[in-house]
Amino acid sequence: MASLSIAMEIPIGLISLYFFFFLIALTHVIASPPNQPARRDSTWDDLSGPLWQQFVDGVLAPAAGITGDMWGGILDEFVGPDAPSESPPEEQPIQPIPGDQPNWVNPSGSQVPQLPASSPFIAPQTSATDDHDCNSPPVGAPDDRDQCAVGLRKIIYTLDCADTSQNVAIGDILAKTVRSGTKTSTTVDDDCGVICWTGELTEEGAEKMRRLRGVLAVVPDVTVREDYTSTPYVPSQKRDESSHSGLVLESRHLVKRDTIVRQEGLTSPDLSFVSTPEGSSAQDCDYVYNSAAGEGTFVYVIDIGAEPSNSEFSSGVIKRWLFAYDTYHTEREVLYKKGGHGSCVASKVAGKFCGVAKKTSLIIVKSTDDLSSFIDAITEVLNDVRSLTIAGLFKPGYNVVTMQRSFRGPTEIDKWSKVKITRIISKLISQYGIVFVNSAGNTGMEAGTVGFPASLSPQLPIIVVGSTDDDGIQQATSSRGHQVTVSAPGLVLCANNEPGGHYEFVSGTSFAAPAVAGLAAYYLSVHDIGSMLRNRPTELIPQAVKDYIVKTAYVRPGSNVLSVWNLLNGAKPLSSA
């Protein structure tokens, strides 16, 4: 009986204890104001606050594989001293995720306080187009549906990409909040989860999304229209190539198992520039290259696509396609571009006549000109590299990414987008040894005009490329600043977006960068050079490639910028002069 009495006293004691705490909790609820709104720590709205630092140290830095001074330098590029200093009111109601709640009413019934204009949670005002249906412009207004949609399009960033249930709820609510008849898109990191959503929202709809738990920020989507000129190429009478057709040269840079090849047929000065030694001019040189020519390497081309039936790609250098959202999974170039931006870029990397690395494999990452599509595109690269690694098909030190995006001035992007992009690029560099090449932009004349993400250099080992003429003189339109690594010709002959052997002359840093990306792939394929560059930890390979391209470049006569060189002598044989 004594044993039974003790056994009964234990559960009775526990029940009494639970009941005591229940009474305390009930008293607290009765004494508290009804519908007390949730609070947002105001330090989130000050990018130098403790919660921000916790976010960087605890989430971004470990995920990207970087710590300490490196993050400080990166963030200073776009946070720095101009970080918002004004904090919002202490109490900021956040609308909890309401499921199918029909009316977006604040539980307290009070008006939602407005965040200060300087807060990174507030998207800048777009335009009066928020007040009407883009498909039915007001009487007398211009019928510009595309521009209207741009003003309404927003990117919604998740705070925690790993919180699956919360992000599913946010996605469901967004689908019910976007403009009628429009769709949403989702950017997903296969390892982490949702990075962001994109949809057309009025400012009222954007405010509703901002109040959701798990939403880091709602920011405007922006569109980059790169300024460049395009002129069709008309073949003229060319000099006789027969005297040195297929000529194989000996060179002091010759490597075992390789030969040096002189390009036959069509060669423009912007390509022969790459093999122009000191003391010579591009006009007096051919393009000569090591027969490795990028073999075994892969170049991801983030652009608007390419025309695969153009004869520049007849050797089958385009191996695979990746698609960002809104590109309709068609293996063609986006047709709104005059000429063929993407086809030109791809041909400068690996084209039959125009390319620097003729045996590399191209992976075309098709995106639109929108910020959201660019984020989706680089996320596709990350997912692709990760899946190849899992399958045992990925080798560090054989992969290059070329990007022709420059967000600056009218297309300046918000700090949160920069953080997300930086995180993805940092992962690809530190975990997989990917070499990044980015055009500097076409907003010269003053120093400090390099756009983002090129402006992450030198904190990240991105090779930033400016543009010159065929003599190595910097083009007036080329962006400049300490971030620029090297330069290459920006007025180039390249493929356009028509089938067959159609070419065009174009101008801009967008076409200098892919030549340097081809040179990076070329160096990685040349046996002794590639082995030397890969003989180090994975995360240090991109910096080694960048340093080698700088080391082999030189300043052309009359210029003040470094121009690329592949270490070979392309001087024309005397018989063809």
Side-chain angles (χ1 to χ4, degrees), residues 38 65 179 183 218 250 265 328 357 417 460 542:
R179 278 196 320 118
K183 62 179 182 178
V218 179
E250 292 298 326
Y328 307 107
S417 297
L460 289 180

Side-chain angles (χ1 to χ4, degrees), residues 132-211:
H132 66 267
D133 185 348
C134 287
N135 294 317
S136 303
V139 177
D143 187 1
D144 193 352
R145 291 174 173 81
D146 289 343
Q147 192 59 40
C148 177
V150 168
L152 292 171
R153 198 163 49 239
K154 301 291 189 296
I155 304 174
I156 301 93
Y157 289 117
T158 174
L159 177 61
D160 182 1
C161 62
D163 193 335
T164 304
S165 59
Q166 181 169 264
N167 290 336
V168 168
I170 294 173
D172 290 343
I173 295 167
L174 175 63
K176 299 173 184 178
T177 309
V178 294
R179 278 196 320 118
S180 176
T182 64
K183 62 179 182 178
T184 64
S185 62
T186 309
T187 296
V188 179
D189 180 333
D190 289 345
D191 187 50
C192 176
V194 175
I195 293 176
C196 63
W197 304 265
T198 306
E200 293 181 22
L201 295 168
T202 63
E203 279 304 312
E204 179 184 4
E207 281 299 324
K208 291 175 181 178
M209 296 306 299
R210 285 188 185 99
R211 295 200 298 270

Side-chain angles (χ1 to χ4, degrees), residues 260-278:
I260 303 302
V261 180
R262 184 179 296 272
Q263 178 161 308
E264 303 174 19
L266 176 67
T267 303
S268 61
D270 65 272
L271 182 59
S272 58
F273 180 97
V274 178
S275 54
T276 299
E278 295 188 64

Side-chain angles (χ1 to χ4, degrees), residues 452-466:
F452 184 87
S455 58
L456 288 172
S457 175
Q459 281 75 26
L460 289 180
I462 298 173
I463 302 169
V464 180
V465 184

Side-chain angles (χ1 to χ4, degrees), residues 204-243:
E204 179 184 4
E207 281 299 324
K208 291 175 181 178
M209 296 306 299
R210 285 188 185 99
R211 295 200 298 270
L212 292 178
R213 291 191 187 281
V215 170
L216 173 65
V218 179
V219 303
D221 201 357
V222 297
T223 299
V224 177
R225 301 287 186 186
E226 287 286 354
D227 294 328
Y228 74 101
T229 59
S230 171
T231 306
Y233 167 69
V234 179
S236 58
Q237 186 174 1
K238 298 186 290 294
R239 57 187 174 83
D240 181 16
E241 300 286 346
S242 60
S243 60

